[in-house]
Amino acid sequence: AFINIMKGCDKFCSYCIVPFTRGREKSRKLQEIKKDVERLVGHAGIQEVMLLGQNVNSFGKENKESFADLIIALEEIKGLEIVRYTTSHPYDVTPEMINIHRHAKKLAPHLHLPVQSGSNTVLKRMLRQYSVEHYLSLIAQLKDANPHMIITSDIIAGFPNETEMEHQETLQLLKKAKFDSIFSYAFSIRRGTKAARMQDILTDDIRGKRLREIQLLQLEIQEQSRKEMIGKTYKVLVDGQSDMKGIKKWKGRTPCNRLIHFMPTAPEENLIWNWVEVKVTSATAL
């Protein structure tokens, strides 16, 4: 189940329209969310929840609550197996939030942490409020808290007036961070944002070329991380079937959010919403 825990955003990044379309941050009350999850677990058999917000790690500020408080409260719900969340802003990743990944047993070892660029000068123009060095230190702290932690991210290629050197700095960040996967996009204008008013020398061809370079490098990184899964066994919640080259397989996600397709030992068995252990025999970069 997907659970909205807050709406809006207070960050006003120069490329983003969200604060103008969805308003400022407003959190739901912790106990209200907990009751929703208890109802879903008790009456609908939900075993995994995804907490949603534009910036979930700033949850609860106006109510004198915190995201870590919410995770601790959800840990108490019997029958709930996995808690996931998205999306987070690096500026609001606190030591308390990092520490909760050390102790919470139901919290998935996965954090989607959009970096957007590997260049400090571009990050400044984006109004992102952190540096590359700070971002990398957060990754190190999170992996210290939980060695199984994986990080996924967002990258914007060709932000207005991005130089070739700034683009190369983003490629260097990919090599250092070794993201498990990324969502990557060529910059596009959102009317009403500060970035839309910037005079820009880049062409769509340049943006497309840089995006392809980012994606090709990321595929190389992912290919290596997926190979490391081969031979390991994972417990997954089966969420449906897939048709791969005419062969029907079941599918589910590992705790760290990687998708696995598999053949059941009993072909006629209905595995939907069951937990199964699967051993990885082969892997692709995607």
Side-chain angles (χ1 to χ4, degrees):
F2 295 89
I3 311 290
N4 281 301
I5 66 171
M6 62 183 299
K7 295 180 179 179
C9 185
D10 289 348
K11 288 294 180 285
F12 290 92
C13 300
S14 63
Y15 55 83
C16 185
I17 198 66
V18 167
F20 304 100
T21 58
R22 300 183 188 173
R24 305 297 291 269
E25 291 174 356
K26 186 176 182 181
S27 303
R28 298 175 65 198
K29 295 290 184 64
L30 186 154
Q31 286 303 319
E32 177 186 311
I33 297 167
K34 184 179 179 183
K35 287 179 181 178
D36 274 358
V37 177
E38 287 174 333
R39 175 179 53 82
L40 288 165
V41 172
H43 298 292
I46 294 299
Q47 301 172 70
E48 176 182 319
V49 295
M50 172 76 82
L51 307 177
L52 300 176
Q54 193 65 31
N55 182 18
V56 293
N57 44 335
S58 64
F59 166 83
K61 287 181 179 178
E62 68 271 39
N63 300 323
K64 294 183 168 49
E65 296 173 339
S66 74
F67 185 71
D69 292 336
L70 175 60
I71 298 301
I72 292 169
L74 297 183
E75 283 272 301
E76 300 170 356
I77 300 176
K78 292 182 179 179
L80 180 63
E81 298 289 336
I82 292 184
V83 178
R84 305 184 190 274
Y85 63 94
T86 194
T87 295
S88 298
H89 192 294
Y91 181 83
D92 290 320
V93 176
T94 63
E96 181 187 30
M97 181 180 169
I98 292 171
N99 202 41
I100 204 69
H101 276 280
R102 190 185 306 274
H103 301 294
K105 293 181 174 58
K106 297 180 180 181
L107 189 57
H110 166 232
L111 178 60
H112 187 69
L113 194 61
V115 66
Q116 307 299 2
S117 175
S119 166
N120 283 334
T121 47
V122 172
L123 290 175
K124 189 173 182 179
R125 298 201 299 276
M126 289 179 168
L127 305 180
R128 289 292 285 173
Q129 305 180 62
Y130 56 83
S131 66
V132 171
E133 291 76 19
H134 176 68
Y135 183 90
L136 290 172
S137 76
L138 292 177
I139 292 180
Q141 292 173 63
L142 285 159
K143 291 188 175 182
D144 178 68
N146 185 343
H148 301 292
M149 175 70 71
I150 68 164
I151 308 294
T152 57
S153 196
D154 295 345
I155 300 285
I156 297 174
F159 189 74
N161 302 308
E162 179 187 67
T163 66
E164 179 61 27
M165 181 178 293
E166 289 169 334
H167 169 60
Q168 290 298 323
E169 288 173 336
T170 294
L171 297 179
Q172 288 301 314
L173 174 66
L174 293 182
K175 294 175 183 178
K176 292 176 182 177
K178 290 184 169 56
F179 294 120
D180 199 70
S181 65
I182 63 170
F183 293 103
S184 52
Y185 322 84
F187 171 79
S188 60
I189 291 174
R190 296 292 182 267
R191 294 184 184 278
T193 63
K194 291 183 179 179
R197 299 193 295 271
M198 295 178 181
Q199 291 194 349
D200 183 25
I201 62 171
L202 295 186
T203 64
D204 288 344
D205 285 344
I206 292 174
R207 287 192 170 91
K209 177 177 178 291
R210 291 178 180 175
L211 179 61
R212 289 190 293 274
E213 289 177 0
I214 287 168
Q215 292 173 339
L216 285 171
L217 174 58
Q218 179 61 30
L219 280 177
E220 292 177 13
I221 294 167
Q222 287 176 206
E223 185 176 21
Q224 181 57 40
S225 67
R226 299 305 184 269
K227 283 180 179 178
E228 293 170 1
M229 297 175 67
I230 297 174
K232 295 180 180 178
T233 299
Y234 296 87
K235 185 179 179 181
V236 304
L237 178 62
V238 182
D239 61 13
Q241 286 187 305
S242 59
D243 192 325
M244 302 185 71
K245 298 180 179 178
I247 301 173
K248 288 195 177 297
K249 295 185 177 184
W250 292 100
K251 64 184 180 70
R253 291 190 177 272
T254 66
C256 57
N257 209 39
R258 292 168 175 167
L259 187 62
I260 293 184
H261 304 264
F262 65 95
M263 297 292 291
T265 52
E268 301 305 316
E269 187 178 6
N270 184 0
L271 296 176
I272 191 70
W273 305 129
N274 282 278
W275 291 93
V276 300
E277 289 195 349
V278 291
K279 184 176 182 179
V280 177
T281 56
S282 64
T284 67
L286 297 174

